[in-house]
């Protein structure tokens, strides 16, 4: 218990002292996660919207695949990306393995199905609720789409935050494709795993605190967004 | 200013109208014509096809056979001149004012004119005190008033209303009925689906009576109220409360 207490005090010291190594890891983590979530949002929300409002052959299968991929095991995604990016893989020539780009790709594959599946449900509900009313008011197709996206903006942001939460907490896939190389691909989660295995609880705990703070911040944001959802606009 | 085809919107001509879903015939062979003034009540038991008929006239559904024509125009072509108030209107997650304004923005009305029109609609529909409130927190009566204001603000020549008071208490019902009378007095053609015989007595000039998806009768209100046959229609006239139970 005293080991834990000592480690906690030391980790607080690392954080308040703005330890450069620690800041570098936090910065890279946020860069990888935010980039992956941005790309996943750009792909996931339009894909979810398309699946919500359009009927086409094979739609049910696509929905099934995306819903299934929401629960993809990260290590499996890591393994697949590894096989594609390794020297003997189809994309090995790009030399992306063990780079932040590879980690972004892996996180995109994990997060895109989450954002697409959740936004499909959000937009489908809104479409059912509003579409006839909007057509009745004379809204053209693009006006209906714009209105649906605006009306569901809070819920869509919640789906993006859910994707961010998943990406931020991810360790297996980024460990496999990033390699946890110091000053190159070491992010918070892989660093926590690595430092714990070395017995360096101080840095592991400091990064753990940052991860928990980010999770708390996300939860706070979600609560605020839900409250804002019925404010006059 | 908003553009409307002039008097070409009338008559509303429904001819041989059929509508079926999954092989089940829900409306069958409806034919009637409505001229451009007054209030028509569509009456009939539940499942008789009142809402379907309104939605077909409004252009939200396509007939299986037959046609609906507003003058020479199809219902979709006539959308700028005819509006509908749904039984459970969908409210956008914004203020009362912004909900009304939305209908005008879709038609690219300049801002100054929009402000004036919104203000007129707010006053006509008695929404002055809640104009800044989010539409989703309004009471049932206020929501219906807003739905009517949002439909009326585009200055339609015809207003289709689907049981606008079915969820409301007597006080709110009277307020909505009074609004409908004001709208009719302004020359808007109202077609109203309802179960409420008192409402029919107060508001309607003529009645379309539907039963099992067929048009049983199209009568002036006086003839309808004096109907002496021995059937469901007579039951509606003679026992409005019991008829409500049947429906």
């Amino acid at each position: 218990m005293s080991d834990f207490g000592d480690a906690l005090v030391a980790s607080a010291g690392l954080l308040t002292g703005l330890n450069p190594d620690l800041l570098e890891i936090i910065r890279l983590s946020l860069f990888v996660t935010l980039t992956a979530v941005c790309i996943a949002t750009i792909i996931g929300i339009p894909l979810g919207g398309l699946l919500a409002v359009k009927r086409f052959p094979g739609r049910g299968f696509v929905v099934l695949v995306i819903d299934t991929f929401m629960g993809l095991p990260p290590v499996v995604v890591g393994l697949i990306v590894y096989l594609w990016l390794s020297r003997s893989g189809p994309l090995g020539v790009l030399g992306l393995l063990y780079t932040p780009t590879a980690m972004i790709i892996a996180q995109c594959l994990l997060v895109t199905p989450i954002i697409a599946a959740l936004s499909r449900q959000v937009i489908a509900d809104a479409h059912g609720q509003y579409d006839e009313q909007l057509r009745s008011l004379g809204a053209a197709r693009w006006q209906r789409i714009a209105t649906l996206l605006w009306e569901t903006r809070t819920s869509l942001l919640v789906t993006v935050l859910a994707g961010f939460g998943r990406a931020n907490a991810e360790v297996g896939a980024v460990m496999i494709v990033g390699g946890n190389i110091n000053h190159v691909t070491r992010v918070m989660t892989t660093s926590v795993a690595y430092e714990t295995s070395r017995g360096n609880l101080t840095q592991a705990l400091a990064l753990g605190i940052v991860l928990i703070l980010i999770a708390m911040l996300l939860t706070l944001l979600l609560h605020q967004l839900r409250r804002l959802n019925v404010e006059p606009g | 200013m908003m553009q409307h085809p002039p008097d070409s919107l009338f008559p509303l001509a429904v001819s041989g109208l059929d509508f079926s879903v999954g092989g089940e015939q829900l409306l069958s062979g409806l034919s009637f014509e409505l001229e451009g003034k007054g209030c028509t009540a569509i009456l009939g038991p539940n499942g008789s096809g009142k809402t379907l008929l309104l939605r077909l006239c409004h252009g939200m559904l396509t007939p299986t056979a037959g046609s609906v024509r507003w003058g020479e125009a199809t219902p979709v072509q006539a959308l700028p001149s005819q509006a509908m108030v749904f039984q459970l209107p969908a409210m956008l997650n914004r203020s009362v004012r912004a909900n009304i304004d939305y209908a005008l923005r879709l038609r690219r009305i300049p801002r100054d004119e929009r402000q004036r029109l919104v203000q007129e609609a707010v006053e006509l529909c008695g929404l002055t005190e809640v104009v800044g409130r989010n539409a989703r927190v309004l009471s049932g009566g206020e929501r219906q008033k807003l739905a009517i204001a949002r439909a009326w603000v585009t200055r339609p020549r015809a207003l289709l209303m689907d049981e606008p008071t079915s969820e409301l208490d007597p006080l709110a019902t009277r307020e909505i009925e009074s609004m409908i009378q004001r709208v009719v007095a302004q020359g808007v053609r109202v077609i109203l689906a309802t179960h409420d015989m008192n409402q029919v007595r107060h508001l309607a000039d003529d009645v379309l009576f539907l039963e099992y998806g067929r048009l049983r009768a199209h009568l002036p209100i006086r003839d309808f109220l004096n109907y002496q046959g021995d059937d469901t229609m007579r039951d509606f006239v003679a026992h409005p409360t019991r008829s409500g139970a049947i429906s």
Side-chain angles (χ1 to χ4, degrees):
Chain A
M1 191 62 199
S2 81
D3 279 354
F4 177 75
D6 292 345
L8 199 60
V9 172
S11 63
L14 275 180
L15 286 173
T16 52
L18 301 177
N19 179 283
D21 286 348
L22 210 64
L23 290 182
E24 183 188 66
I25 291 169
I26 294 170
R27 205 163 32 238
L28 181 63
S29 290
L30 290 177
F31 169 72
V32 167
T33 301
L34 287 173
T35 308
V37 170
C38 282
I39 296 169
T41 301
I42 289 167
I43 299 169
I45 290 182
L47 179 60
L50 184 75
L51 292 170
V53 302
K54 288 290 278 186
R55 296 289 176 271
F56 54 85
R59 175 185 167 278
F61 178 72
V62 176
V63 170
L64 180 70
V65 168
I66 287 177
D67 285 352
T68 305
F69 278 20
M70 278 180 79
L72 271 182
V75 287
V76 175
V77 171
L79 181 61
I80 292 168
V81 175
Y82 178 89
L83 291 171
W84 275 71
L85 297 183
S86 64
R87 280 192 187 283
S88 56
L91 300 177
V93 67
L94 298 176
L96 293 176
L97 196 63
Y98 304 134
T99 66
T101 305
M103 297 156 76
I104 290 168
I105 292 170
Q107 288 202 350
C108 270
L109 289 175
L110 283 167
V111 174
T112 302
I114 294 173
I115 293 179
L118 295 179
S119 56
R120 179 187 69 80
Q121 194 57 55
V122 166
I123 295 170
D125 290 347
H127 184 253
Q129 184 184 355
Y130 290 116
D131 191 59
E132 191 171 53
Q133 181 72 71
L134 298 181
R135 283 194 295 135
S136 169
L137 291 171
R141 178 183 286 270
W142 71 268
Q143 289 171 318
R144 298 202 298 274
I145 291 170
T147 303
L148 281 185
L149 289 176
W150 182 251
E151 286 299 306
T152 55
R153 62 195 182 280
T154 308
S155 300
L156 290 177
L157 199 49
V158 170
T159 72
V160 172
L161 290 177
F164 180 85
R166 165 79 181 240
N168 193 49
E170 210 292 308
V171 56
V174 291
M175 181 80 92
I176 292 172
V177 302
N180 194 28
I181 302 166
N182 202 13
H183 302 300
V184 181
T185 57
R186 184 162 294 172
V187 290
M188 282 191 282
T189 50
T190 59
S191 184
V192 168
Y194 175 69
E195 299 298 347
T196 304
S197 71
R198 287 201 319 154
N200 181 7
L201 295 183
T202 306
Q203 184 155 337
L205 214 50
L207 290 168
I209 289 169
V210 174
L211 283 169
I212 290 171
L213 285 175
I214 290 173
M216 284 175 67
L217 193 66
L218 276 181
T219 310
L220 197 66
L221 261 174
L222 291 175
H223 281 280
Q224 289 299 319
L225 285 172
R226 289 205 178 98
R227 282 181 52 194
L228 279 175
N229 206 25
V230 288
E231 293 295 320
Chain B
M1 276 301 289
M2 280 172 284
Q3 297 296 310
H4 291 306
D7 288 329
S8 62
L9 195 66
F10 296 101
L12 166 62
V14 172
S15 173
L17 189 69
D18 288 355
F19 187 78
S20 57
V21 174
E24 188 175 354
Q25 192 82 1
L26 301 176
L27 289 180
S28 186
L30 268 62
S31 296
F32 59 87
E33 277 196 10
L34 298 180
E35 293 301 332
K37 288 201 184 305
C39 174
T40 297
I42 304 177
L43 204 58
N46 266 353
S48 57
K50 302 185 293 296
T51 298
L52 270 181
L53 176 58
L54 280 182
R55 290 170 73 189
L56 283 158
C57 289
H58 188 44
M60 295 294 104
L61 297 171
T62 307
T64 311
S67 66
V68 177
R69 285 284 183 277
W70 292 89
E72 296 298 313
T74 65
V76 172
Q77 289 168 337
L79 263 181
S81 303
Q82 48 103 359
M84 180 159 170
V85 176
F86 293 90
Q87 187 175 4
L88 297 171
M91 294 300 158
L92 299 174
N93 185 18
R94 52 190 84 178
S95 69
V96 166
R97 181 188 287 109
N99 262 275
I100 301 172
D101 188 54
Y102 177 84
L104 297 171
R105 288 173 69 171
L106 289 175
R107 293 162 195 241
R108 302 176 190 280
I109 310 290
R111 172 181 261 195
D112 289 349
E113 193 178 351
R114 287 206 319 262
Q115 285 178 342
R116 182 180 63 76
L117 291 168
V118 168
Q119 189 56 34
E120 283 179 21
V122 164
E123 285 168 13
L124 177 95
C125 298
L127 290 164
T128 309
E129 290 186 8
V130 295
V131 72
R133 197 175 295 172
N134 188 294
R136 287 193 178 172
V137 298
L138 297 178
S139 68
E142 288 165 342
R143 286 167 77 95
Q144 279 299 346
K145 286 183 189 176
L146 172 54
I148 295 171
R150 192 170 56 183
W152 180 81
V153 75
T154 59
R155 298 293 191 272
R157 296 283 320 282
L159 194 54
L160 314 180
M161 307 177 89
D162 188 9
E163 303 193 31
T165 59
S166 63
E167 309 277 329
L168 305 184
D169 62 44
L171 184 63
T173 296
R174 277 199 295 277
E175 284 182 346
I176 297 293
E177 287 173 0
S178 154
M179 278 178 55
I180 295 171
Q181 283 172 325
R182 287 201 293 274
V183 167
V184 172
Q186 293 192 348
V188 178
R189 183 67 162 94
V190 170
I191 304 170
L192 171 75
T194 182
H195 283 128
D196 186 339
M197 272 303 298
N198 285 328
Q199 203 160 70
V200 173
R201 284 194 179 89
H202 287 144
L203 298 175
D205 299 304
D206 58 334
V207 174
L208 291 163
F209 193 88
L210 300 186
E211 193 175 15
Y212 302 119
R214 292 175 183 278
L215 182 61
R216 281 284 319 282
H218 180 194
L219 298 171
I221 184 66
R222 185 182 298 269
D223 295 350
F224 178 74
L225 294 176
N226 292 327
Y227 182 76
Q228 295 297 324
D230 184 18
D231 52 22
T232 312
M233 202 159 90
R234 167 67 185 154
D235 204 33
F236 261 80
V237 176
H239 309 288
T241 309
R242 212 175 115 212
S243 300
I246 289 168
S247 63

